[in-house]
Amino acid sequence: MDIQTLEKLIYECKNEEAIRIVNNISETKDESYLNVLIKHLKSTEDNLLRNQIALALSDIGENEALDSLIEVITHPRTKGSRGTLLYSLENLDYVSHIDTIANFIGDPSLEVSMQSFLLLEYVADELSNNQKEKCKSIFESKLKINENEFVKDALELLR
């Protein structure tokens, strides 16, 4: 398969076929698809396709995809479908975006809240004092509004 075939399938809304190609890219970690995957990660309205693209980008492991993943995660249109997108950050160097991720701890979606907490837990020892203070401030503000166990645990993790 080539890049043009993948693009054609996506433009023709043949998402099941496109997902098969994306899964193959994921298995082979083919970096030649990086730009087209990022482009369609940001533009597709199909949650399943977007999630598979995010997982493929994670498997490829190029930090070039990080900013686009964060952009998609924070976009209002992905509300209700952010769990897999957050999971896709695990193979990337996301420490610089920890304050953005921290904002999702305590989210009404258990999957989103738990995945965000796990991402924080994985890098807690790598955070600068400034990053820790920013996150603590986020968690303290959240606790004033809602007593959430993930938020309490996250705050305790950074103390």
Side-chain angles (χ1 to χ4, degrees), residues 47 50 72-83 85 104 107-109 112:
N47 290 340
R50 184 176 36 249
V72 170
I73 289 166
T74 58
H75 196 283
R77 73 184 160 107
T78 61
K79 186 175 182 175
S81 62
R82 293 180 170 136
L85 297 171
F104 291 108
D107 187 271
S109 164
V112 169

Side-chain angles (χ1 to χ4, degrees), residues 13-135:
C13 295
K14 295 181 178 176
N15 291 345
E16 287 183 26
E17 293 174 58
I19 287 169
R20 279 195 286 278
I21 293 172
V22 171
N23 288 340
N24 186 52
I25 295 166
S26 197
E27 289 174 18
T28 61
K29 299 174 180 23
D30 189 341
E31 294 177 18
S32 68
Y33 285 86
L34 189 65
N35 291 331
V36 74
L37 290 175
I38 290 171
K39 173 180 149 184
H40 290 291
L41 171 80
K42 293 163 65 171
S43 66
T44 188
E45 294 296 325
D46 184 284
N47 290 340
L48 186 56
L49 178 59
R50 184 176 36 249
N51 286 345
Q52 291 309 120
I53 290 172
L55 293 171
L57 290 167
S58 178
D59 288 340
I60 291 170
E62 282 293 324
N63 283 313
E64 189 178 328
L66 182 62
D67 289 339
S68 296
L69 283 163
I70 293 294
E71 179 185 329
V72 170
I73 289 166
T74 58
H75 196 283
R77 73 184 160 107
T78 61
K79 186 175 182 175
S81 62
R82 293 180 170 136
T84 301
L85 297 171
L86 285 159
Y87 173 78
S88 72
L89 297 175
E90 284 187 14
N91 293 330
L92 304 175
D93 184 13
Y94 59 86
V95 174
S96 63
H97 294 280
I98 199 63
D99 55 325
T100 301
I101 295 164
N103 275 299
F104 291 108
I105 297 174
D107 187 271
S109 164
L110 179 61
E111 181 185 15
V112 169
S113 190
M114 187 181 333
Q115 188 59 49
S116 301
F117 178 81
L118 289 172
L119 289 168
L120 174 67
E121 192 174 47
Y122 297 151
V123 298
D125 294 338
E126 300 173 36
L127 299 179
S128 68
N129 287 336
N130 187 35
Q131 287 173 310
K132 287 180 183 179
E133 290 306 314
K134 264 182 155 176
C135 289

